[in-house]
Amino acid sequence: MALLLGDDAPDFTADTTAGTVNFHEWLGDGWGVLFSHPADFTPVCTTELGTVAKLKDEFAKRNTKVIAVSVDPIESHKGWVSDINETQNTTVNFPIIADPDRKVADLYGLIHPNASNNTTVRSVFVIGPDKKVKLTITYPASTGRNFAEILRVLDSLQLTANYSVATPANWNEGEDVIIVPAVSDEAAKEKFPKGWNAIKPYLRVTPQPNK
Ligand code: BEZ
């Protein structure tokens, strides 16, 4: 059974490039991103992990820890990290889980047998401070991810966790947001003192409330 939004993010203890990690303990009270890649020493994965390393400050700004996983063993990960650092001009600064027995892969449904029987797909899980799954995205091995989108989604998830708003298509931090339909106009007057533009009664646009 696949992990669904709102489910508990499964806990585990695993060997990583940063030592043994107990996942929930390691996450602490903040947000987390767990992302899988098909295999070490492959070109697209090399660019992905390098990209994530360069976004360290962006994830930190969002109080978010990042952890990668594939079914390769720890020695392979360690060797590959040198290649990532060299070719992507960065320093890998997050743990990579070694999952040769597929414990994490099974818990998170990272192997899609009709895509590949023995490698993990490119999945992303965003986990909230309550250890619930807030977002899942899955890409095939042939398509590298857009990590700017992961940061954008984190901004939306963190905003909408705290305010009665939703974010429209292609929204970016700082842009106008939508008042959720469950909030009456009466209640909105108190919650959104900057006011709103009612394009339709169900489509009320307001400035981002925490700006
Ligand atoms: C890659 O990371 O380049 C890759 C990995 C598995 C299949 C295809 C591409």
Side-chain angles (χ1 to χ4, degrees):
M1 178 68 179
L3 272 181
L4 303 178
L5 299 188
D7 286 356
D8 291 325
D11 196 16
F12 56 82
T13 298
D15 216 8
T16 82
T17 50
T20 303
V21 162
N22 172 264
F23 188 48
H24 283 192
E25 206 176 282
W26 176 82
L27 283 171
D29 297 331
W31 290 70
V33 171
L34 181 147
F35 72 108
S36 56
H37 59 274
D40 296 353
F41 298 102
T42 53
V44 177
C45 300
T46 300
T47 63
E48 286 194 322
L49 272 74
T51 297
V52 172
K54 289 178 192 164
L55 292 172
K56 179 183 167 55
D57 293 347
E58 292 299 323
F59 285 108
K61 245 196 263 174
R62 293 163 177 83
N63 190 26
T64 301
K65 288 185 168 179
V66 178
I67 195 162
V69 59
S70 79
V71 296
D72 298 286
I74 196 72
E75 288 316 319
S76 166
H77 284 344
K78 286 181 178 166
W80 181 42
V81 162
S82 308
D83 279 9
I84 300 170
N85 292 346
E86 176 197 328
T87 63
Q88 307 304 303
N89 196 24
T90 189
T91 302
V92 172
N93 42 38
F94 53 86
I96 310 173
I97 299 165
D99 192 37
D101 58 3
R102 302 181 177 195
K103 185 171 65 180
V104 178
D106 287 344
L107 284 170
Y108 281 80
L110 301 176
I111 293 183
H112 295 199
N114 292 321
S116 165
N117 254 329
N118 47 24
T119 59
T120 44
V121 290
R122 297 188 199 281
S123 281
V124 182
F125 295 83
V126 175
I127 296 152
D130 58 0
K131 309 291 183 291
K132 304 271 187 205
V133 174
K134 304 297 182 187
L135 173 101
T136 66
I137 318 181
T138 297
Y139 295 66
S142 50
T143 304
R145 283 159 283 203
N146 181 340
F147 288 93
E149 169 63 1
I150 308 305
L151 295 172
R152 191 193 74 85
V153 168
L154 274 166
D155 288 338
S156 173
L157 290 170
Q158 294 181 350
L159 178 72
T160 59
N162 289 313
Y163 296 90
S164 302
V165 297
T167 58
N170 295 338
W171 174 86
N172 282 297
E173 176 74 9
E175 295 176 358
D176 289 353
V177 299
I178 290 167
I179 301 173
V180 296
V183 174
S184 67
D185 281 352
E186 201 49 39
K189 281 181 199 152
E190 203 166 304
K191 284 178 185 279
F192 302 100
K194 292 176 196 155
W196 63 88
N197 174 23
I199 297 164
K200 290 281 182 189
Y202 59 84
L203 177 52
R204 295 168 296 174
V205 177
T206 190
Q208 185 173 327
N210 59 349
K211 289 286 168 188

